[in-house]
Amino acid sequence: MAAIAAAVIVVGFPMGAVGMAVLSFESPDENTGVIVCSDGGPGGGSQPIDRQVLDADSMDIARTIVDVVRQRRLPRRAAVLAIAAGLVESRLRNLDYGDRDSIGVFQQRPSQGWGTREQILNPVYATNAFLNHLVALAGWATMPPGAAEQAVQRSGFPGRYAPREQQASDLVAKFWAGPDNPVPPSGGGLQPVSATPSCPDHEASDLPVRPDDEGQRSLPLSFAYPADPRESAAVRFAIAQVGKRYVWGGKGPDSYDCSGLMLASWAAAGVGVPAGTLSQAHAGHSVADIGQLLPGDLLFIPGALGTAAVPRHVGMYAGHGLVVDAYDERHGVILEALTDWTHQIVAIRRIVDLAAPSPPPGGNQR
């Protein structure tokens, strides 16, 4: 216990150290268009873009937006417009607050029909919602800079989008693989997708998996979900994903990586968390000792590619001595014994303050 308590002291490591430690990234090869992978996370860590530095979380979300656009076979222009809107609305962060009931990357409003709070707080859903509105606009791909974003967002500050398009274009260039896609015919491109990047196992665990962990699909008879409704919703969602595939950068609904599972689980509770492990290690507030664990707490270990100072694998404490995590490509989402994790835990983060009221339920952008 003393060793664990000492290990979790690193939860306060400065954000700047994280950004400096992971400057590598993955990008399309100029000749082949094939994504070149590295250990900087799905977004490649913090990066200088158009003379501004975007943190690892923003880069992860930019990558997610590009993946969704590519899988819907929409043109690069759609990714530029979506990222420009996200830069203006949230600086590409998964915010769980905003003007009135605006939330998420695009500050979409549940009260205006953009989806429930739980849906909007998943960047994959939010990107699909933005694109659905975009492709429904006649001539969206040839509108003047800023016009298409404004038509979708209906902002009170319409002049803010056009100046961000160059920065958005630079971001798309980092992640786009292969040739451009044609503009779909009227009514085309409306099929939502799940983002499934192509790089393997970059946030995978390296803990030994016991045979009983590999086969564990059911909870013990003594298991009870937590009383707090937010904790309960997050834990229920995470456990319901057991058996699904691990895909690096995946945020659901069919596949996840470790941080994507944490994001989707807390989104199901109406709570926004950052998109990647590097940023989730600073979400909420620290828990000083493993003896203070509560269901829903995030547990960080170095994983296959991380270190104690920069942990790269995260799981959720589900209660009753169990951890749920998206382990790796072979095992997918599994339940593990907390005792298998304790000697590796370097940070514990509590996402919600139980003394604070729950957020209002989603009703339905400007």
Side-chain angles (χ1 to χ4, degrees):
M1 184 63 71
I4 296 300
V8 298
I9 291 174
V10 302
V11 294
F13 57 82
M15 181 63 86
V18 174
M20 292 178 63
V22 288
L23 288 178
S24 57
F25 59 94
E26 75 291 340
S27 61
D29 181 272
E30 292 181 358
N31 298 315
T32 66
V34 175
I35 289 290
V36 178
C37 303
S38 77
D39 63 354
S46 60
Q47 295 285 324
I49 304 293
D50 191 26
R51 299 183 299 280
Q52 296 184 28
V53 175
L54 291 180
D55 65 19
D57 192 42
S58 298
M59 294 296 291
D60 183 289
I61 288 176
R63 168 64 186 268
T64 297
I65 291 172
V66 172
D67 285 329
V68 171
V69 170
R70 289 184 60 241
Q71 288 172 58
R72 289 177 65 152
R73 294 183 170 81
L74 292 172
R76 288 174 62 135
R77 180 65 179 159
V80 171
L81 297 174
I83 288 177
L87 285 166
V88 169
E89 298 293 349
S90 68
R91 196 173 166 81
L92 293 175
R93 291 174 296 164
N94 190 34
L95 302 178
D96 63 0
Y97 59 87
D99 177 51
R100 289 169 285 186
D101 60 335
S102 300
I103 52 173
V105 176
F106 302 100
Q107 291 290 280
Q108 295 157 335
R109 298 180 60 193
S111 64
Q112 300 303 305
W114 285 83
T116 66
R117 180 180 178 90
E118 293 77 9
Q119 291 171 324
I120 294 169
L121 286 172
N122 188 317
V124 174
Y125 174 92
T127 299
N128 276 309
F130 177 91
L131 294 173
N132 287 343
H133 284 74
L134 178 69
V135 299
L137 297 172
W140 64 268
T142 55
M143 289 182 176
E149 299 98 309
Q150 172 62 14
V152 172
Q153 298 293 106
R154 302 199 295 274
S155 170
F157 304 94
R160 293 181 177 179
Y161 298 115
R164 290 302 189 106
E165 288 197 11
Q166 182 58 56
Q167 187 181 17
S169 181
D170 292 345
L171 276 167
V172 173
K174 283 189 175 292
F175 300 125
W176 191 277
D180 200 354
N181 296 316
V183 178
S186 178
L190 282 169
Q191 184 61 42
V193 298
S194 304
T196 53
S198 56
C199 299
D201 284 58
H202 277 59
E203 291 188 342
S205 177
D206 59 350
L207 295 176
V209 177
R210 299 185 303 179
D212 50 342
D213 289 332
E214 290 200 54
Q216 185 157 354
R217 293 288 186 270
S218 59
L219 298 171
L221 293 176
S222 60
F223 189 90
Y225 288 99
D228 179 83
R230 293 163 296 177
E231 288 182 342
S232 180
V235 171
R236 285 177 185 273
F237 183 94
I239 289 176
Q241 311 315 305
V242 169
K244 291 190 177 180
R245 293 185 305 139
Y246 175 108
V247 173
W248 186 63
K251 297 174 176 63
D254 303 317
S255 60
Y256 301 88
D257 67 5
C258 66
S259 58
L261 178 62
M262 301 302 102
L263 181 150
S265 297
W266 276 107
V271 178
V273 299
T277 305
L278 301 176
S279 299
Q280 288 177 5
H282 300 273
H285 59 272
S286 64
V287 176
D289 188 272
I290 197 170
Q292 300 171 10
L293 273 179
L294 291 177
D297 287 349
L298 304 190
L299 308 176
F300 295 84
I301 61 175
L305 289 174
T307 65
V310 186
R312 292 294 304 277
H313 189 74
V314 59
M316 177 182 290
Y317 181 58
H320 292 254
L322 294 173
V323 177
V324 57
D325 69 308
Y327 186 95
D328 65 8
E329 286 187 326
R330 175 188 169 191
H331 298 90
V333 180
I334 63 173
L335 287 167
E336 298 181 83
L338 175 63
T339 52
D340 293 341
W341 279 57
T342 51
H343 67 290
Q344 289 271 11
I345 295 171
V346 297
I348 303 173
R349 305 297 294 189
R350 181 156 299 153
I351 299 303
V352 296
D353 181 355
L354 299 186
S358 299
N364 280 324
Q365 175 102 293
R366 287 178 282 273

